[in-house]
């Protein structure tokens, strides 16, 4: 009996090694291990043996059955071409899938949008090719006003019916202020992260196409205190710590009073370094209480409502957050730069 079992085992293993087709291995499985299979038959006949022998042969038979089954499975895997566990070396280091990286500007944008949405602000968008009206006139900057020279505007070389050049690349995100007021009325809370354009000489701190985030908050009894609170909240969120801000008087025709907001330099901690030109402070942007003329242009009653607005350099925020020293890197498409974020 023992011999018979060993013989079957050798026979089967030998046969398996020659098999090349799935159907053959299936047939072999049935022939030996099936319900009426040869090995099954032998094992079934064990009941006719004496106690001792039954035990011994039973053990041997089951072991042989297991070995055959293993060989069959192995063959099946070989035929189907799948990787089996024996082909996998779990100790090999994995191959990292290449995934893209977010531009640091996008990282800051996502954080800002999350924060402002959580404070009940809308996220707005506006045209980059803007009319002279929304970019200047509605913001209390009439034609020939000297304040137009504050920003080096790209005018579009196309006259309207009246013979005026009335299209510009927006020089700031502020035109969306009046668009938002006209569309949504008061009370209103919103932010506009967007691109702006100025005819600047490009260097490490200046780009002709740069990014701003405009914030607009209109309600009854809004004051500079609200402005300060929101600015501080925003900067703390981005820099993940309390940030000291400083507010100075500034001039922008669309706000009264107009303010300039500085933030203590995160790179040197306020002691003074090349990034902050040794002053310890960085200019983040303009702000102020919305001028009544601008509220009126937005069809909002300045007697009833007041509001604040600010427009900060969004690329400057990202530069400070990540310690980036050259503004041109953001739009350089340089993978060595982008892969770091
Ligand atoms: N739009 C101004 C600029 O880009 C900044 C600003 C926004 C100032 C809102 C006041 C209020 O220079």
């Amino acid at each position: 009996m023992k011999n018979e079992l060993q013989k079957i085992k050798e026979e089967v293993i030998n046969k398996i090694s020659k098999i090349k087709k799935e159907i053959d291995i299936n047939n072999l499985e049935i022939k030996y291990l099936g319900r009426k299979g040869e090995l099954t038959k032998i094992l079934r006949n064990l009941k006719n043996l004496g106690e001792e022998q039954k035990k011994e042969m039973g053990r041997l038979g089951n072991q042989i059955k297991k070995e055959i089954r293993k060989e069959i499975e192995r063959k099946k895997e070989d035929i189907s071409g799948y990787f089996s566990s024996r082909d996998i070396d779990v100790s090999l280091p994995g191959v990292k899938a290449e995934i893209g990286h977010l531009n640091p500007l996008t990282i800051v944008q996502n954080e800002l949008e999350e924060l402002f949405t959580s404070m009940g602000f809308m996220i707005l968008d506006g045209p980059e090719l803007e009319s002279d009206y929304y970019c200047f006139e509605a913001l209390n900057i009439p034609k020939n006003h000297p304040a137009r020279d504050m920003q080096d505007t790209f005018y579009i070389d196309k006259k309207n019916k009246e013979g005026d050049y009335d299209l510009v690349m927006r020089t700031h995100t502020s035109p969306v202020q009046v668009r938002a007021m006209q569309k949504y009325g008061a009370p209103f809370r919103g932010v506009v992260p967007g691109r702006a354009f100025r005819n600047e000489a490009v260097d490490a701190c200046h780009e002709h196409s740069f990014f701003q985030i405009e914030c607009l908050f209109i309600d009854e009894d809004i004051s500079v205190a609200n402005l300060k609170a929101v600015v501080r909240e925003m900067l703390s969120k981005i820099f993940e710590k309390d940030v000291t801000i400083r507010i100075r008087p500034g001039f922008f025709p669309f706000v009264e009073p107009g303010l300039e907001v500085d933030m203590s330099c995160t790179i040197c901690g306020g002691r003074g370094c090349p990034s902050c030109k040794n002053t310890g402070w960085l200019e983040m942007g303009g702000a102020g209480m919305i001028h009544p003329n601008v509220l009126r242009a937005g069809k909002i009653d300045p007697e009833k409502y007041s509001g604040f607005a600010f427009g900060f350099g969004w690329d400057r925020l990202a530069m400070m957050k990540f310690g980036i020293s050259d503004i041109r890197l953001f739009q350089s498409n340089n993978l060595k730069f982008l892969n770091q974020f």
Side-chain angles (χ1 to χ4, degrees):
M1 177 114 195
K2 217 173 180 173
N3 289 343
E4 207 181 333
L5 280 170
Q6 288 295 0
K7 225 177 88 206
I8 288 206
K9 179 180 153 186
E10 272 159 37
E11 185 185 312
V12 179
I13 302 235
N14 190 22
K15 275 190 184 163
I16 293 177
S17 71
K18 293 191 183 123
I19 286 181
K20 298 222 159 47
K21 284 195 244 138
E22 195 177 349
I23 176 126
D24 294 337
I25 193 82
N26 288 343
N27 286 339
L28 178 133
E29 188 174 9
I30 295 169
K31 180 161 184 241
Y32 289 96
L33 303 184
R35 219 152 36 88
K36 291 185 186 147
E38 290 183 27
L39 189 64
T40 320
K41 250 191 248 164
I42 295 176
L43 291 176
R44 204 172 283 147
N45 286 336
L46 289 181
K47 64 174 183 288
N48 305 327
L49 298 175
E51 258 331 290
E52 270 307 300
Q53 253 202 327
K54 198 167 27 176
K55 245 192 203 161
E56 197 192 334
M57 289 304 125
R59 206 177 297 132
L60 183 65
N62 276 327
Q63 193 199 327
I64 287 177
K65 197 169 156 185
K66 242 193 221 159
E67 282 172 36
I68 292 179
R69 170 136 290 144
K70 210 163 144 197
E71 284 303 311
I72 291 178
E73 289 310 317
R74 204 175 264 212
K75 191 73 188 186
K76 281 185 180 170
E77 282 170 0
D78 281 349
I79 291 175
S80 64
Y82 285 132
F83 289 115
S84 66
S85 53
R86 75 197 148 90
D87 295 321
I88 295 171
D89 181 352
V90 290
S91 66
L92 273 181
V95 183
K96 246 189 161 178
E98 277 283 333
I99 49 165
H101 294 251
L102 292 178
N103 189 296
L105 287 174
T106 314
I107 298 174
V108 171
Q109 175 178 14
N110 291 346
E111 288 178 4
L112 287 170
E113 291 191 0
E114 190 185 309
L115 170 74
F116 278 105
T117 319
S118 78
M119 296 198 294
F121 284 67
M122 289 171 80
I123 313 292
L124 301 174
D125 215 355
E128 292 175 355
L129 177 59
E130 188 52 284
S131 67
D132 185 282
Y133 173 76
Y134 282 110
C135 198
F136 300 121
E137 213 126 329
L139 291 172
N140 204 28
I141 316 176
K143 290 224 159 60
N144 305 321
H145 190 287
R148 289 210 176 197
D149 293 341
M150 283 169 75
Q151 304 172 344
D152 303 300
T153 309
F154 286 119
Y155 284 91
I156 301 299
D157 191 10
K158 187 169 179 295
K159 288 186 182 163
N160 63 9
K161 283 190 221 99
E162 284 81 43
D164 293 328
Y165 293 104
D166 69 344
L167 281 178
V168 301
M169 296 307 290
R170 67 175 180 199
T171 53
H172 48 182
T173 41
S174 301
V176 190
Q177 285 188 24
V178 178
R179 287 182 177 276
M181 291 179 212
Q182 289 177 347
K183 187 160 179 193
Y184 300 104
F188 176 82
R189 279 179 243 184
V191 287
V192 190
R195 201 191 280 261
F197 308 85
R198 286 183 204 179
N199 190 5
E200 299 259 12
V202 173
D203 63 26
C205 304
H206 300 89
E207 256 284 14
H208 47 68
S209 311
F210 58 102
F211 294 83
Q212 284 194 330
I213 175 147
E214 189 86 11
C215 177
L216 188 65
F217 194 137
I218 303 169
D219 208 331
E220 291 172 40
D221 301 325
I222 294 297
S223 73
V224 176
N226 302 103
L227 165 67
K228 275 170 75 176
V230 171
V231 168
R232 208 174 277 136
E233 192 68 35
M234 169 176 124
L235 296 178
S236 312
K237 162 87 180 179
I238 292 176
F239 296 101
E240 292 160 32
K241 59 178 176 211
D242 282 337
V243 201
T244 316
I245 58 168
R246 177 174 83 169
I247 290 181
R248 295 175 286 124
F251 173 71
F252 302 94
F254 35 97
V255 281
E256 182 57 42
L259 309 165
E260 299 263 6
V261 182
D262 300 338
M263 165 185 143
S264 67
C265 179
T266 51
I267 293 180
C268 61
R271 282 184 300 278
C273 69
S275 295
C276 56
K277 299 190 193 106
N278 282 319
T279 61
W281 295 97
L282 286 156
E283 288 179 21
M284 297 316 300
M289 302 307 293
I290 303 170
H291 196 286
N293 287 350
V294 178
L295 288 171
R296 267 183 223 112
K299 307 251 173 330
I300 290 174
D301 179 6
E303 299 298 324
K304 181 161 182 217
Y305 290 103
S306 56
F308 70 75
F310 65 76
F312 284 5
W314 159 18
D315 26 31
R316 193 161 283 185
L317 290 173
M319 287 169 85
M320 284 293 102
K321 180 179 170 87
F322 296 111
I324 299 165
S325 55
D326 194 326
I327 194 171
R328 290 169 291 194
L329 284 166
F330 290 120
Q331 297 176 88
S332 63
N333 282 343
N334 179 344
L335 287 179
K336 277 192 194 140
F337 169 69
L338 292 173
N339 283 341
Q340 297 173 53
F341 301 98

